[in-house]
Amino acid sequence: MGASDFSKLPHIGESLRRKEDYRFLTGAGNYTDDIDLANMTHAVFVRSPHAHANIKSVNKTAALAAPGVIAILDGADVVDAKINGLPCGWLITDTSGQPMKEPPHPILAHNKVRYVGDHVAMVVAETLEQAKNAAELVEVDYDVLPAVVDVRDAKGGTALHTEAPDNHCYNWAIGDKAAVDAAFAGAAHVTKLDLINNRLVPNPMEPRAAIGSYNRASDEYTLYVSNQNPHVERLLMTAFVMGLPEHKVRVIAPDVGGGFGAKIYLYAEDVCLTWASKKLNRNIKWNCDRSEAFLCDAHGRDHSSHAELAIDKDGKFLALKVHTDANLGAYLSTFSTAVPTILYATLLAGQYNTPQVYVEVDSWFTNTAPVDAYRGAGRPEATYLLERIVSRAAFELGLSQDEIRRRNFITQFPYQTPVALQYDTGDFHACLNHANELGDVAGFGARKAASQAKGLLRGIGYSSYIEACGLAPSNVAGALGARAGLFECGEVRVHPTGSVTVFTGSHSHGQGHETTFAQVVAARLGIPVENVDIVHGDTGRVPFGMGTYGSRSISVGGAAIMRALDKIEAKAKKIAAHLMEASDTDIDFANGEFSVKGTDKKIPFGQVALTAYVPHNYPLETLEPGLNETAFYDPTNFTFPAGTYICEVEIDPQTGVTRVDKFTAVDDFGTIINPMIVEGQVHGGLVQGIGQALMEQCVYDRETGQLLTGSFMDYTMPRADDFPEFKIGHECTPCTTNPLGTKGCGEAGAIGSPPAVINAVLDALSAVGVKDFDMPASPHRVWSAIQAAKA
């Protein structure tokens, strides 16, 4: 079945209410902390108060004597147990041809700590309170060392690792530098821009949690964990860290209260609890509190970049060159190395027909929490840089922000970019035109005049983003350094009554998979949506899959389910043909019924399902009983959602307070299964992106490495009253590389919105002489920029 046929099926494009919401709204969700096992103990981690220090000694005597304490484990115990460090899942090869520097990442620090919050020891006690009290009694003698936290200070700073004496992890590049230099030599105009992409703390509603359990009778481990991809967690932990047979470890990720990338990774706590559950023969629970989450969850973004755009006399782009310094933090997290390279530089062509692009990336270790993928993972960083410099060029050339984009949009597909990607389809003009209309851009002048009459500054900002979702085919990803396949699995199990259970390797942590995937299956089989159940998140029940990240679930996980449904339909047609005494080549299947072409003979899907399991009248000589199929899907290309966002802000120049007055988002997600769920995803992404642009910023003290924004008292999270009512629109050019025609939608809002906001802020501030500005546009920073411009 092709994408065009699929989009016409019942239930596709219907805004059905989410099946999973009943249990969440009635308090029946089952999160990791809701699980209570027999003989449960509790773990608390002793964390480094210093950003950089040698560990001279760890004195556990007083803590071990405290009430309820069962054990205290430290780095020396890890070394004795021969537990390896946490692996990095993506190998980057340096421009010199050498592999990146990959220092060990111990699960408990041994001899040295490298950021505030680094794991020093794990205290296990009968109760959480006893574990907390004992943790305070662990005495660690530190020899404090100088810290480096800003990526611009990494070169020449005190070395974190002997493997990287200059704190440099790799230099990586893509594009034709000579061709770019030649294009710049003939340019009529060159726009230059320096910018910072501010560091963020993900902060999902449910902090991380884990329970380690060991069964001596079967020699099996079970890890309950709030995680986005349990199979990957198990693979990394068994094959690379603990050296365990994979079939002896079961990872269960029950209901998960948000991830945003921060729950993709294998963390030290997960390994510690799994290892200690056997060592102590006790079930052990750990819940991350919010303060710990600020310190030790993987952070996002943190780039410092310089970009230059060469333009001809007609405003057409000739070439783009970029240099980025990326902060990796103290250690390499699971996918950290791919974010500022494969997931970033390859998107710097954007929606534009720019003949040449050259990008060079230097990545550095610093005394900060590890940095990894956060909603968008490299694509927000690329879009922010590109859309900022495009709007800057428009300001310099006296063009409107939409006009410079129109002049440079790609119009012919497929389109091969100069930075590796090939876009299969799109209509960028349609998204821009729709956004202009929906956002009433024609009325902006009148609104600006009304703001001026109140003593306020009004600005408008554009952002035309494109992203690559679903990640690449496994063979391509492997050639680019991925240390795992990027396929997905789906198993469709039809029951004798005609109801269906689907087992998917994708994982839902708020996206609505239990509804969307059920709509896909119900549409194909012609059965009620309520007759389809979706199972995920348990390596003991679900075939091997790669989880959910990179907006891959419907396009990769859904495609795997579609392939399994193809097998179900093919076998069911053979059964139906036997029942109706016809050839299976003469059988049609539509709306839940099998029929013989050219006749009035037909039977319902339920009868075929029952026959498969009660095979009294059945072609046993050619078919096995049952109706249960499994399929794997490895994508042939990324999917490329795109769109145009328009933001209008109003700024009080007396206080610097910036208010988003209007926000319009028009996206092309290809085929949309459930519009309500998609709009919810866009809304959530917009809130996170606008939050980064206006208020969120993770700040370390540049001298000591102390985290200054370690709570919601200091790290500002967006609230509902910070936003207007969003205007959401859609265009549709179905993806040509998957059977559903879908493109990812979960990260778009966070990708396209930050540059739209900052471009609007700069448009407003141009009236008072401000020409440049970095996120976040908090009141104090905006006011200071205004004062500096006046001076």
Side-chain angles (χ1 to χ4, degrees):
M1 175 176 287
S4 58
D5 295 327
F6 172 77
S7 65
K8 298 171 186 175
L9 293 176
H11 303 307
I12 303 306
E14 289 185 26
S15 291
L16 300 182
R17 287 190 176 185
R18 300 195 341 161
K19 296 177 65 177
E20 50 267 73
D21 282 351
Y22 176 81
R23 73 174 186 272
F24 295 139
L25 294 173
T26 57
N30 186 39
Y31 298 89
T32 301
D33 191 39
D34 293 322
I35 298 169
D36 285 311
L37 304 179
N39 236 0
M40 185 80 83
T41 62
H42 298 266
V44 167
F45 286 85
V46 177
R47 299 186 181 276
S48 170
H50 303 292
H52 199 192
N54 290 319
I55 300 174
K56 297 172 69 176
S57 64
V58 179
N59 188 338
K60 301 181 281 187
T61 305
L64 284 168
V69 173
I70 298 168
I72 301 173
L73 304 172
D74 62 15
D77 297 305
V78 173
V79 171
D80 290 343
K82 297 181 179 177
I83 303 293
N84 295 324
L86 303 179
C88 179
W90 204 293
L91 172 67
I92 295 297
T93 301
D94 196 282
T95 50
S96 66
Q98 298 300 309
M100 66 191 187
K101 298 179 181 72
E102 194 171 358
H105 184 179
I107 62 170
L108 292 174
H110 184 60
N111 296 331
K112 194 175 189 182
V113 291
R114 294 178 173 87
Y115 67 100
V116 174
D118 205 352
H119 314 73
V120 177
M122 180 177 70
V123 178
V124 181
E126 297 289 354
T127 70
L128 179 59
E129 183 178 6
Q130 289 171 336
K132 286 182 176 180
N133 291 338
E136 294 182 1
L137 298 176
V138 176
E139 299 176 1
V140 185
D141 188 6
Y142 295 100
D143 177 19
V144 179
L145 302 170
V148 54
V149 299
D150 191 298
V151 69
R152 295 165 292 184
D153 300 333
K155 186 177 183 179
T158 302
L160 277 74
H161 304 278
T162 56
E163 295 81 0
D166 55 358
N167 293 322
H168 190 240
C169 184
Y170 58 77
N171 172 268
W172 180 91
I174 190 171
D176 187 335
K177 187 177 186 299
V180 167
D181 289 342
F184 269 84
H189 179 85
V190 174
T191 294
K192 299 181 180 181
L193 184 65
D194 292 293
L195 51 78
I196 302 292
N197 203 299
N198 43 323
R199 178 184 280 238
L200 302 176
V201 181
N203 279 311
M205 185 178 292
E206 177 209 21
R208 290 190 294 122
I211 301 171
S213 180
Y214 176 72
N215 186 321
R216 284 191 181 276
S218 59
D219 191 29
E220 292 177 337
Y221 301 79
T222 302
L223 174 68
Y224 300 86
V225 63
S226 185
N227 184 269
Q228 295 174 217
N229 45 4
H231 274 288
V232 174
E233 169 117 353
R234 182 177 70 166
L235 173 64
L236 294 174
M237 184 166 62
T238 56
F240 296 99
V241 183
M242 297 182 69
L244 297 172
E246 198 169 357
H247 71 286
K248 289 294 185 179
V249 178
R250 180 180 182 184
V251 175
I252 300 174
D255 290 327
V256 172
F260 311 121
K263 294 180 181 176
I264 295 174
Y265 322 116
L266 175 64
Y267 283 97
E269 295 90 351
D270 307 342
V271 179
C272 286
L273 267 68
T274 305
W275 163 54
S277 67
K278 178 178 182 179
K279 185 177 180 69
L280 306 180
N281 196 28
R282 296 289 295 271
N283 299 318
I284 311 170
K285 177 185 284 190
W286 169 75
N287 281 314
C288 184
D289 64 33
R290 190 61 66 181
S291 294
E292 280 185 294
F294 272 99
L295 289 173
C296 59
D297 283 6
H299 292 171
R301 318 292 190 240
D302 207 342
H303 285 188
S304 176
S305 299
H306 174 77
E308 297 184 15
L309 180 64
I311 308 170
D312 72 9
K313 60 182 178 58
D314 298 318
K316 296 288 189 69
F317 301 160
L318 299 174
L320 174 73
K321 58 182 175 183
V322 175
H323 181 269
T324 292
D325 287 302
N327 193 341
L328 297 176
Y331 301 102
L332 298 183
S333 181
T334 306
F335 293 118
S336 59
T337 51
V339 175
T341 52
I342 306 303
L343 301 179
Y344 164 70
T346 56
L347 267 298
L348 281 167
Q351 298 188 11
Y352 309 111
N353 189 4
T354 307
Q356 298 294 337
V357 178
Y358 178 73
V359 186
E360 188 172 5
V361 178
D362 283 292
S363 287
W364 305 88
F365 295 107
T366 65
N367 295 110
T368 62
V371 177
D372 210 317
Y374 171 63
R375 196 172 192 168
R379 290 100 82 204
E381 295 91 322
T383 298
Y384 181 68
L385 182 148
L386 184 61
E387 292 306 291
R388 280 287 313 280
I389 201 168
V390 167
S391 285
R392 166 69 73 84
F395 297 153
E396 292 178 354
L397 295 173
L399 297 173
S400 66
Q401 294 180 68
D402 57 344
E403 176 58 25
I404 196 170
R405 287 170 168 80
R406 289 182 200 280
R407 292 187 186 187
N408 290 283
F409 276 157
I410 297 161
T411 57
Q412 299 294 320
F413 296 91
Y415 177 80
Q416 178 62 54
T417 75
V419 279
L421 299 182
Q422 185 178 83
Y423 306 156
D424 64 322
T425 185
D427 190 340
F428 305 147
H429 282 281
C431 287
L432 178 62
N433 294 338
H434 191 169
N436 274 342
E437 180 182 353
L438 193 61
D440 185 25
V441 172
F444 173 72
R447 293 190 294 274
K448 184 172 183 176
S451 295
Q452 289 174 336
K454 297 184 290 184
L456 303 175
L457 306 173
R458 179 177 283 266
I460 189 168
Y462 280 72
S463 172
S464 294
Y465 79 92
I466 190 168
E467 60 163 323
C469 294
L471 294 188
S474 292
N475 61 334
V476 174
L480 295 174
R483 288 166 163 168
L486 297 176
F487 56 84
E488 196 47 81
C489 179
E491 178 189 350
V492 178
R493 189 176 299 175
V494 179
H495 303 295
T497 58
S499 61
V500 174
T501 300
V502 176
F503 299 85
T504 175
S506 300
H507 188 279
S508 179
H509 36 277
Q511 296 90 339
H513 292 173
E514 293 175 38
T515 302
T516 303
F517 286 174
Q519 284 180 249
V520 170
V521 175
R524 277 294 305 273
L525 299 182
I527 61 177
V529 173
E530 54 268 24
N531 285 7
V532 182
D533 284 337
I534 308 297
V535 177
H536 61 90
D538 185 345
T539 63
R541 301 181 67 189
V542 174
F544 193 100
M546 298 305 294
T548 291
Y549 47 86
S551 299
R552 72 190 299 271
S553 294
I554 192 63
S555 299
V556 185
I561 293 169
M562 283 285 283
R563 283 196 169 180
L565 289 167
D566 290 341
K567 296 180 180 180
I568 292 287
E569 181 177 327
K571 182 174 182 179
K573 281 182 175 179
K574 294 180 185 296
I575 300 170
H578 178 82
L579 292 174
M580 292 186 285
E581 299 180 334
S583 169
D584 61 308
T585 58
D586 292 329
I587 302 297
D588 285 332
F589 179 58
N591 301 317
E593 290 184 326
F594 297 89
S595 60
V596 180
K597 296 174 184 177
T599 74
D600 59 357
K601 287 185 177 181
K602 57 184 178 181
I603 56 175
F605 177 77
Q607 183 178 342
V608 171
L610 182 62
T611 300
Y613 289 97
V614 186
H616 296 162
N617 180 17
Y618 194 81
L620 285 171
E621 66 280 1
T622 58
L623 288 181
E624 296 177 351
L627 203 52
N628 179 18
E629 298 288 351
T630 300
F632 289 80
Y633 176 76
D634 202 341
T636 58
N637 195 3
F638 295 92
T639 70
F640 297 100
T644 289
Y645 292 176
I646 303 174
C647 176
E648 285 187 39
V649 300
E650 218 175 35
I651 299 174
D652 184 344
Q654 301 303 312
T655 63
V657 170
T658 301
R659 182 178 67 88
V660 177
D661 184 58
K662 291 170 66 69
F663 201 101
T664 303
V666 175
D667 300 283
D668 177 0
F669 296 135
T671 304
I672 292 178
I673 309 297
N674 187 311
M676 179 191 71
I677 288 177
V678 168
E679 288 201 6
Q681 288 284 293
V682 173
H683 283 186
L686 291 177
V687 167
Q688 285 184 274
I690 297 171
Q692 175 179 13
L694 290 183
M695 58 196 73
E696 292 188 53
Q697 185 177 24
C698 176
V699 179
Y700 286 90
D701 182 83
R702 204 159 178 171
E703 297 298 323
T704 66
Q706 292 296 321
L707 181 63
L708 302 180
T709 51
S711 75
F712 289 139
M713 294 292 289
D714 309 296
Y715 185 95
T716 308
M717 292 283 279
R719 300 291 188 268
D721 61 358
D722 292 316
F723 304 98
E725 182 175 348
F726 300 130
K727 291 188 176 180
I728 305 295
H730 298 287
E731 294 292 324
C732 179
T733 59
C735 175
T736 63
T737 59
N738 71 63
L740 300 92
T742 54
K743 306 175 185 180
C745 71
E747 296 165 294
I751 292 168
S753 55
V757 173
I758 298 301
N759 285 335
V761 169
L762 287 169
D763 185 50
L765 294 180
S766 65
V768 293
V770 176
K771 294 184 178 180
D772 200 9
F773 194 87
D774 274 321
M775 299 184 285
S778 59
H780 176 72
R781 291 166 60 85
V782 172
W783 182 87
S784 297
I786 293 171
Q787 303 314 305
K790 287 180 179 179

